[in-house]
Amino acid sequence: MHQLTLAEIARGLADKKFSSEELTKTLLARIAQLDPQLNSFITLTEDLALEQAKAADARRANGESGALLGAPIAHKDLFCTLGVRTSCASKMLDNFKAPYDATVVAKLAAAGAVSLGKTNMDEFAMGSANESSYYGAVKNPWNLDHVPGGSSGGSAAAVAARLLPAATGTDTGGSIRQPAALTNLTGLKPTYGRVSRWGMIAYASSLDQAGPLARTAEDCAILLQGMAGFDPQDSTSIDEPVPDFSANLNGSLNGLRIGVPKEFFSEGLDTRIAELIHNSIKELEKLGAVIKPISLPNMQHAIPAYYVIAPAEASSNLSRFDGVRFGHRCENPKDLTDLYKRSRAEGFGPEVQRRILVGAYALSAGYYDAYYLQAQKIRRLIKNDFMAAFNEVDIILGPTTPNPAWKIGAKNSDPVSAYLEDVYTITANLAGLPGLSMPAGFVDGLPVGVQLLAPYFQEGRLLNVAHQYQLNTDWHTRSPAGF
Ligand code: GLN
């Protein structure tokens, strides 16, 4: 039963082949048995899951239907969950129980999804390896010595290991697409504003966006349908109609113009990954797509711009964790300054502290113009590059990551080398565009992802292309040995 996709589960539940309660019990047992190897969950909510599963079965018995009704999922541990620990994988919030559900959590619960628990992640979503969690590193089910990618690494590892069919993630600079690539999943970062950020603990508010991680594009369509939509409680949510993603998966790719930016194949890309990406291009050509070489000339400035803007916003967002209002408070503070200093020094891990320092520096009076303002100008140039490219093409395609999953600990002494792994994903966040990563093959037994980017609000186009690709390839069906 654990091999079933969301789409298959929906059919199985509708045909009464099994109940949501049976499925939920099976997956909870599987998590108890296998997750100790992976560390993909921070909190399991067995009682809540069984309650939700029974309620979903009752709704089905009453004639209700719906692709998510009774479907098991899990939430990255930065979505607020009423009465359930919401830790952001930080000591700072180790004891924090949210007083309300995030919009994404509430919407999925209303659709009948069954939440099995909260998944591990990089602390405050800062990272590309899921090594910075207060609860320990997450392991890649394809090779337990390797990272699963981050920051949504717990969601990715759990879905890849068939502990559950799909999970939520968030993507500020690649944290859905990159772990999807490194664990052989399909992951989608929606257009900025497509999915509500209300109740999602903020890292960099102008970049953060929630989305689905699943094994197929078909399942991403189902989960995204339950997440997307206007939310008056999020001032950056956009009131744009949400199409029926599942109904639009079967469009023909005949004549689809795919732009391949030369900057995506420059120095630093593993040549074996480049070859797999070229194979996926050939596959899409067979389906009728037309390939056009394009250029995104300002791409080389994306990493420096992102690593100013994201920490700047983080330093502001994380100022609320002051030992007074939320989370960890130090013992016996001497005075208010000591309370602030020690609570934050004890509560935040080294990567989070590094980002806060960099961000506060970039925003400080003497340096604001030199760093933050420059970075914002680059951001506009990158967006303009995309706008020009999308006048010529319908989709942009390239690798998701320059390398396959690295060994746990390999980049610990050199944070910048980890930042460089984000080179292909962060441009979509800087521009606010939707992006998807899907399986494209293996290098040394480790999965590789191909990335698709589309114009604003064209998530449906990404899912359509990915679904057609997956009907004609079988990379996404491979599962890691031992799981
Ligand atoms: N690796 C990037 C960072 O650390 C992106 C993380 C994310 O998307 N949350 O900022």
Side-chain angles (χ1 to χ4, degrees):
M1 217 160 5
H2 60 266
Q3 294 286 0
L4 299 176
T5 63
L6 281 180
E8 289 163 349
I9 287 169
R11 286 194 287 274
L13 289 171
D15 296 346
K16 299 194 173 47
K17 292 220 171 86
F18 46 84
S19 67
S20 175
E21 189 183 347
E22 281 170 287
L23 176 63
T24 301
K25 283 184 173 157
T26 303
L27 295 182
L28 286 172
R30 196 171 152 78
I31 292 169
Q33 185 204 343
L34 295 172
D35 198 46
Q37 294 179 59
L38 299 169
N39 197 26
S40 66
F41 277 88
I42 291 175
T43 304
L44 280 171
T45 50
E46 291 101 333
D47 294 345
L48 175 70
L50 289 171
E51 208 178 284
Q52 287 181 324
K54 283 181 199 160
D57 287 334
R59 281 168 66 179
R60 280 203 185 263
N62 279 333
E64 257 190 77
S65 58
L68 286 165
L69 187 52
I73 57 158
H75 293 294
K76 183 175 182 178
D77 204 18
L78 55 54
F79 290 98
C80 284
T81 39
L82 172 68
V84 173
R85 171 167 62 178
T86 301
S87 75
C88 250
S90 181
K91 179 176 177 186
M92 185 57 92
L93 292 177
D94 183 38
N95 292 320
F96 176 65
K97 286 190 175 158
Y100 61 92
D101 278 331
T103 297
V104 162
V105 172
K107 277 176 87 90
L108 289 171
V114 174
S115 177
L116 305 184
K118 307 292 292 290
T119 56
N120 207 343
M121 54 183 280
D122 276 301
E123 186 179 2
F124 283 100
M126 298 171 189
S128 321
N130 222 125
E131 293 179 276
S132 73
S133 167
Y134 174 60
Y135 304 94
V138 178
K139 317 282 167 51
N140 190 325
W142 289 91
N143 183 330
L144 298 173
D145 294 332
H146 288 246
V147 304
S151 62
S152 313
S155 291
V159 176
R162 275 68 181 159
L163 303 187
L164 76 175
T168 58
T170 62
D171 191 313
T172 303
S175 283
I176 290 174
R177 291 160 289 155
Q178 188 253 13
L182 302 194
T183 60
N184 207 42
L185 296 184
T186 308
L188 189 147
K189 177 200 103 67
T191 309
Y192 185 76
R194 175 64 101 184
V195 175
S196 169
R197 291 186 300 109
W198 197 72
M200 204 175 105
I201 296 175
Y203 161 16
S205 313
S206 77
L207 302 160
D208 297 343
Q209 190 59 200
L213 279 148
R215 297 196 287 269
T216 64
E218 193 181 23
D219 280 8
C220 281
I222 292 171
L223 192 53
L224 180 61
Q225 202 77 48
M227 300 171 76
F230 177 62
D231 179 5
Q233 282 174 297
D234 170 2
S235 60
T236 58
S237 166
I238 297 179
D239 197 357
E240 176 79 19
V242 181
D244 183 338
F245 296 117
S246 299
N248 293 314
L249 292 172
N250 287 315
S252 157
L253 305 193
N254 216 1
L256 180 87
R257 298 167 303 168
I258 299 185
V260 180
K262 66 169 189 284
E263 292 81 4
F264 273 44
F265 293 86
S266 57
E267 206 190 322
L269 174 64
D270 184 322
T271 51
R272 299 164 302 173
I273 293 187
E275 202 180 312
L276 291 173
I277 303 304
H278 283 117
N279 292 345
S280 66
I281 292 174
K282 281 185 216 136
E283 203 57 55
L284 291 165
E285 275 185 303
K286 276 196 235 156
L287 299 176
V290 183
I291 307 302
K292 290 191 168 211
I294 59 164
S295 174
L296 298 170
N298 290 292
M299 212 185 107
Q300 87 243 38
H301 306 305
I303 295 229
Y306 173 88
Y307 278 97
V308 169
I309 293 169
E313 293 187 18
S315 77
S316 166
N317 275 325
L318 271 60
S319 65
R320 76 191 67 182
F321 302 105
D322 56 4
V324 177
R325 287 168 297 178
F326 299 95
H328 178 75
R329 179 178 298 173
C330 68
E331 299 279 340
N332 305 318
K334 278 203 311 282
D335 52 28
L336 188 61
T337 309
D338 185 43
L339 168 78
Y340 288 155
K341 277 188 171 167
R342 279 203 291 127
S343 298
R344 287 168 67 83
E346 292 167 9
F348 292 136
E351 186 58 30
V352 174
Q353 293 191 21
R354 185 178 298 122
R355 306 282 179 112
I356 292 172
L357 285 172
V358 169
Y361 181 82
L363 289 176
S364 60
Y367 297 99
Y368 181 91
D369 288 1
Y371 295 109
Y372 186 73
L373 209 61
Q374 285 298 102
Q376 291 291 20
K377 288 179 181 167
I378 291 172
R379 186 173 189 174
R380 171 52 63 115
L381 293 176
I382 287 169
K383 179 181 166 179
N384 290 350
D385 283 356
F386 277 118
M387 294 303 95
F390 283 126
N391 282 330
E392 317 261 309
V393 298
D394 305 308
I395 287 268
I396 292 175
L397 179 149
T400 309
T401 64
N403 294 295
W406 57 93
K407 275 209 160 135
I408 294 175
K411 291 184 190 279
N412 280 1
S413 58
D414 183 7
V416 174
S417 79
Y419 300 170
L420 292 174
E421 294 293 323
D422 301 336
V423 59
Y424 303 127
T425 47
I426 51 181
T427 50
N429 302 77
L430 289 168
L433 293 166
L436 174 148
S437 179
M438 60 182 182
F442 293 83
V443 162
D444 291 338
L446 292 165
V448 166
V450 54
Q451 180 178 216
L452 307 173
L453 304 172
Y456 296 112
F457 298 105
Q458 298 304 319
E459 292 84 4
R461 190 182 296 168
L462 295 175
L463 291 164
N464 174 199
V465 176
H467 181 63
Q468 293 305 308
Y469 176 81
Q470 292 179 341
L471 288 176
N472 291 280
T473 52
D474 67 356
W475 302 118
H476 63 288
T477 65
R478 315 273 176 103
S479 55
F483 295 96

